[in-house]
Amino acid sequence: MRILKSSFSRNIITLVTGTAMAQAVPLALSPILTRLYTPDDFGILATYMSLAAVVTVVVSLKYDIAIIIPEKDEDSANITVLSILIAFIISTIIFLGVFFFNVELSSFLTDNQEDARTLSKWLYFIPVSVLFMGVFNAISFWFNRKTLYKRMAASKIINTTAMTGVQIGSGTLGYTPVGLLLGFVSGRIFSVLYLIHKFRRDRDSVFSKITKTGMLALMKRYKRFPYFTLPAEFINVVSNQLPIFVIGKYFGGAILGNYSLMERVLNAPISLLGRSVLDVFKQRASEDYAKDGNCKDIFVKTFKTLVLLSIIPTILLFFISPFIFGIIFGKEWSMAGEFAQIFSILFFFKFTASPLSYMFNIAEKQHYDMFWQIGLLIFAVISFAIGIYYNDIKVALISFVASYSLLYILNIYLSYSFAKGNKQ
């Protein structure tokens, strides 16, 4: 048991370290990037990345998640190849959509004619980004199954290092804003090539047993993933990316660029520390819930830890972020600091709620999560509709933060209710 726990801890440390380094590279070099590219440049990139994120949800129809589930490696290998084949088919369909509706799509995403012309060219890279993301996810899940965590961590570092390096090099040579796109695509390509190299080097014999019949049987067996997991995740991604699309469409690329920088800076600690806390919480909470029918004690302890970790950053963001952003990233980006000030409250609730929301899975209350995700989407639409009506981005963001904060409070309450289980 001690060996298992030690191995488990090492795996967590490996992934957390890789994620930390992967996030630290672009974040540390952001002050250079913000002086090479304008907010409008970053606004175009944000629109591209958001569109790619939404489309990526459907790239493998979520069959890649099932790769780690089967008892037999042979079944898992069949699902891995199935996911990659589906990714190729979906990417081809996306390319045809971009080819035939390029002008309409770029015009829909932004009212700025110059930005629309730039986006119309960038859209042809969407199928490439989506395909490589599908392959990346499939191989990563296979490596996850085989506990090859160092490779997963290395691929993340390669991705962000190549992306940031190409973006800085292109910007220095004056290739703006296309350098941002080249960096984004290059990072994904290099990370996938690394994974493919490691994947081929293993020459795992189970992949010689892949059959069409086997893939079709497993496709039917795990049909709940495209039927239920896919819609839920699609709603979640659309909710998260909706502000990007709306801001770019109705408030302009410069404002969108500032918003995207703010979002990147604030999401970094949520992704890193929140994920680390989640790794510890879900293991202990699952164990206590299975044994005692509740996990109230570890829930309360984790809640207090998350509050202590987030309270000081929240206070600092609220009072000094406009000043700090202007100094670190340049005067053009002071608006991002004002946005960070508004989002400081949401940062607190999101950071606290996100790891604890794993209770929805432990208590098998995923349908509650589905309704909650729908609530996020509805309130996002309402908030930005208000902002568009008043033609004021700050009104939109304040409405967004207020409504989302209430929903995250509800999320914490529901998670706590589930954690109590049968314990009164």
Side-chain angles (χ1 to χ4, degrees):
M1 179 64 70
R2 184 177 299 174
I3 295 175
L4 288 175
K5 287 184 177 180
S6 176
S7 176
F8 179 74
S9 299
R10 285 198 304 270
N11 292 337
I12 290 177
I13 292 171
T14 298
L15 286 175
V16 170
T17 302
T19 303
M21 293 179 65
Q23 290 183 348
V25 171
L27 201 59
L29 297 176
S30 288
I32 299 176
L33 291 170
T34 54
R35 286 167 172 81
L36 292 173
Y37 299 93
T38 67
D40 195 67
D41 294 339
F42 274 94
I44 299 173
L45 178 66
T47 301
Y48 176 90
M49 291 177 62
S50 293
L51 184 60
V54 171
V55 179
T56 297
V57 175
V58 303
V59 67
S60 296
L61 301 181
K62 307 317 296 179
Y63 278 109
D64 48 3
I65 299 177
I67 291 172
I68 62 175
I69 296 176
E71 293 184 14
K72 299 179 180 178
D73 280 349
E74 181 181 336
D75 289 341
S76 183
N78 271 282
I79 302 174
T80 301
V81 175
L82 173 66
S83 299
I84 294 174
L85 289 175
I86 293 175
F88 272 97
I89 295 171
I90 297 293
S91 299
T92 301
I93 295 172
I94 293 169
F95 172 78
L96 293 174
V98 170
F99 182 80
F100 287 109
F101 301 102
N102 181 281
V103 176
E104 291 81 0
L105 186 56
S106 57
S107 298
F108 174 77
L109 292 171
T110 178
D111 286 337
N112 185 293
Q113 292 185 355
E114 184 176 347
D115 288 350
R117 283 194 295 270
T118 301
L119 267 176
S120 68
K121 299 174 184 176
W122 287 27
L123 288 177
Y124 287 105
F125 286 89
I126 289 286
V128 178
S129 296
V130 171
L131 173 61
F132 275 93
M133 193 63 200
V135 176
F136 179 89
N137 287 341
I139 298 179
S140 293
F141 273 111
W142 172 259
F143 284 163
N144 193 347
R145 176 183 175 86
K146 307 299 285 186
T147 66
L148 299 171
Y149 297 110
K150 289 183 179 180
R151 296 182 182 182
M152 295 167 62
S155 68
K156 294 178 181 179
I157 296 172
I158 290 171
N159 178 36
T160 54
T161 302
M163 177 185 71
T164 310
V166 172
Q167 287 176 340
I168 290 177
S170 300
T172 302
L173 295 173
Y175 294 107
T176 60
V178 71
L180 291 173
L181 171 67
L182 294 177
F184 178 78
V185 176
S186 297
R188 182 59 62 202
I189 290 175
F190 279 113
S191 63
V192 170
L193 290 177
Y194 166 79
L195 290 178
I196 291 175
H197 169 68
K198 294 293 184 181
F199 184 74
R200 292 183 62 187
R201 196 181 69 174
D202 291 341
R203 300 185 183 278
D204 202 309
S205 60
V206 295
F207 283 92
S208 64
K209 301 177 182 179
I210 294 171
T211 63
K212 181 180 178 180
T213 304
M215 286 191 287
L216 290 175
L218 289 164
M219 190 175 185
K220 183 177 181 180
R221 177 180 174 184
Y222 292 105
K223 63 183 180 181
R224 291 178 64 87
F225 285 95
Y227 286 177
F228 299 107
T229 305
L230 177 59
E233 188 165 333
F234 186 80
I235 291 172
N236 176 265
V237 172
V238 170
S239 300
N240 290 330
Q241 303 303 328
L242 184 66
I244 298 291
F245 295 128
V246 174
I247 293 172
K249 174 74 173 179
Y250 293 99
F251 297 101
I255 291 177
L256 175 56
N258 276 275
Y259 176 86
S260 66
L261 176 66
M262 175 276 299
E263 189 179 46
R264 188 197 313 177
V265 172
L266 265 62
N267 277 339
I270 294 176
S271 299
L272 177 58
L273 292 177
R275 189 174 300 171
S276 302
V277 174
L278 170 62
D279 287 331
V280 177
F281 171 73
K282 68 182 181 182
Q283 187 275 332
R284 175 68 184 277
S286 299
E287 185 178 283
D288 289 354
Y289 197 88
K291 182 175 65 176
D292 304 323
N294 75 86
C295 53
K296 180 180 176 181
D297 293 340
I298 188 62
F299 183 96
V300 172
K301 183 177 180 180
T302 305
F303 173 78
K304 291 179 179 178
T305 300
L306 290 165
V307 169
L308 289 174
L309 285 172
S310 59
I311 190 68
I312 293 179
T314 299
I315 294 172
L316 292 175
L317 282 171
F318 185 80
F319 285 104
I320 67 173
S321 55
F323 174 71
I324 292 297
F325 270 70
I327 291 178
I328 295 176
F329 302 108
K331 293 181 179 179
E332 280 187 297
W333 301 90
S334 58
M335 185 185 295
E338 296 175 15
F339 293 165
Q341 187 176 43
I342 296 172
F343 269 73
S344 59
I345 304 301
L346 180 57
F347 167 83
F348 174 81
F349 289 115
K350 186 176 181 180
F351 182 86
T352 305
S354 294
L356 299 175
S357 65
Y358 195 78
M359 281 308 310
F360 287 84
N361 295 318
I362 294 175
E364 298 185 29
K365 302 290 185 181
Q366 290 93 337
H367 54 293
Y368 280 85
D369 183 54
M370 168 70 84
F371 291 125
W372 186 78
Q373 298 289 355
I374 293 173
L376 286 181
L377 180 58
I378 292 172
F379 276 106
V381 172
I382 294 173
S383 298
F384 280 94
I386 294 172
I388 292 170
Y389 178 79
Y390 287 102
N391 194 30
D392 192 326
I393 182 61
K394 289 188 177 180
V395 170
L397 296 184
I398 291 172
S399 301
F400 181 83
V401 167
S403 59
Y404 264 47
S405 295
L406 290 174
L407 283 172
Y408 274 109
I409 291 172
L410 174 63
N411 189 290
I412 294 171
Y413 170 77
L414 290 173
S415 298
Y416 178 64
S417 300
F418 301 149
K420 290 192 294 185
N422 300 323
K423 184 175 181 178
Q424 302 297 325

